[in-house]
């Protein structure tokens, strides 16, 4: 899957990762995929709700441990 844009929101808490993703998606074409990397555990629920409310597709969510801290990767497809 081709990633059109990657957004680093490590260290930011709700609602900043969602707000930055919303802004990034607005500048993308329909069908483009946005990758968001976050450290906020609440971002998992937040991005699920965001996708439902906006009609953008939540393609995948993953949790990974990097350098002893958990990171959450969200892939959104622009509607």
């Amino acid at each position: 899957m081709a990633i059109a844009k990657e957004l680093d929101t490590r260290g930011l808490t709700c609602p900043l990762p969602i707000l930055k993703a919303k802004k990034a998606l607005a500048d993308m074409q329909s069908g483009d995929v946005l990758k968001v990397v976050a450290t906020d555990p609440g971002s998992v629920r937040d991005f699920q709700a965001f996708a439902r409310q906006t009609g953008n597709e939540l393609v995948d969510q993953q949790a990974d441990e990097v350098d002893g801290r958990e990171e959450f990767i969200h892939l959104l497809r622009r509607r």
Side-chain angles (χ1 to χ4, degrees), residues 35-64:
K35 177 180 179 180
V36 182
V37 181
T39 51
D40 181 6
S43 67
V44 174
R45 282 188 324 276
D46 294 343
F47 276 100
Q48 291 168 357
F50 175 75
R52 276 194 308 275
Q53 293 169 358
T54 62
N56 295 298
E57 180 187 358
L58 184 58
V59 178
D60 192 26
Q61 288 184 303
Q62 300 173 12
D64 226 351

Side-chain angles (χ1 to χ4, degrees), residues 6-44:
E6 185 167 335
L7 192 57
D8 181 356
T9 64
R10 292 176 186 102
L12 301 179
T13 58
C14 180
L16 290 175
I18 293 291
L19 294 175
K20 289 184 174 286
K22 183 177 180 180
K23 184 176 180 185
L25 285 166
D27 295 334
M28 296 170 66
Q29 300 295 315
S30 181
D32 283 352
V33 175
L34 172 66
K35 177 180 179 180
V36 182
V37 181
T39 51
D40 181 6
S43 67
V44 174

